[in-house]
Amino acid sequence: MKNTNRKIVLASRPSGQPTTDNFRLEDSDIPSPQRGEILLRTIYLSLDPYMRGRMNDAESYAEPVKLDDVMVGGTVAQVEQSQHDDFAVGDWVLSYSGWQDYAISNGEGLINLGKNPTQPSYALGVMGMPGFTAYMGLMDIGQPKKGDTLVVAATTGAVGSIVGQIGKLMGCKVIGIAGGSEKCQYAIDNLGFDHCIDHKAPDFAEQLAATAENGIDIYFENVGGKVFDAVLPLLNTGARIPVCGLISQYNATSLPDGPDRMSSLVATLLIKRIKMQGFIIFDDYGHRYNEFSQAMQEWLSQGKIQYKEHVIEGLDKAPEAFIGLLNGENFGKLIIHTNQAN
């Protein structure tokens, strides 16, 4: 065990695009567990778009990170020391320890992954929050039916890649949207999407309209911006729009340029009787995690779901990697390996 606990704290609140100056790497003493507590050693840290919202001092569905506090984040850790009856040294756990090497927990909210999980980092991705988000958003709000046209933005990301594959299993025509030809080709060749369109193309909206020639029945929204602008006129009557994020807007400091789109949006929702629903996965669907877990484990074991991780070595690389995530530079689920494994 190392002698110090590295932790990355929020040094200042960003205005627009975060920079590395908004974060600070600190060293502190490793805490000692008291009776009923355990000391966790972080092995994997999940980086996710929602973290950008936690950097703002603004009302949201969760409290913002306080200045000089450790950045929040899901983690897979091992029990280093235990004074808790339910956890033994060496156990792997899914936790929420944030951007640091070590953390104390009283066991509340932890999921014990056992002594030797096959793919422990999967608990942060396909078997964790992103996979759960994809499953419930599509299945409960999107309600896919055979023959539906499903459009998925951020196609090769942690959520979008799973949404599209589940859509194919449900019999949908799946159109992906990604940034760059490499990601689009991966979506078709490896994930089984029917089509994928590069949102960087100058004629992106025209390509989407030509590909979705029979309109769009489900649009899984996690991007917003110009992608949603292109999707809106193509939505069919009775379309469903699960909303789990708006990554294109997370760094915005003002409303987008151009005409007010609100009246057009509301009119389309009304005239076409469209269902558009936001959701916070564990707040709204935590009681259905076992349903998701059983289905996903079966699909993975049968090779019906493909999953890609983008692993970056070193906790100190987290700020730069997170900024890259917001710019779409990751290819797959972004994970930091803290270099703390034995």
Side-chain angles (χ1 to χ4, degrees), residues 253-329:
T253 57
S254 62
L255 293 174
D257 294 334
D260 183 354
R261 300 166 174 82
M262 183 58 69
S263 59
S264 175
L265 170 60
V266 173
T268 302
L269 296 178
L270 172 62
I271 294 167
K272 294 186 176 181
R273 286 90 77 194
I274 291 169
K275 177 182 181 180
M276 187 174 187
Q277 179 179 333
F279 66 105
I280 307 301
I281 186 59
F282 282 103
D283 288 0
D284 296 328
Y285 292 107
H287 61 290
R288 294 179 64 177
Y289 178 82
N290 287 340
E291 171 192 336
F292 151 73
S293 178
Q294 292 174 8
M296 187 57 68
Q297 285 177 344
E298 182 175 349
W299 287 332
L300 285 170
S301 67
Q302 295 173 350
K304 293 181 177 180
I305 294 288
Q306 303 300 313
Y307 178 62
K308 183 179 181 67
E309 290 182 318
H310 185 153
V311 180
I312 293 179
E313 296 291 333
L315 179 66
D316 59 310
K317 301 296 194 304
E320 184 178 349
F322 175 67
I323 293 167
L325 169 71
L326 297 177
N327 291 326
E329 295 174 9

Side-chain angles (χ1 to χ4, degrees), residues 324-336:
L325 169 71
L326 297 177
N327 291 326
E329 295 174 9
N330 62 299
F331 198 161
K333 174 69 187 88
L334 187 58
I335 300 284
I336 295 292

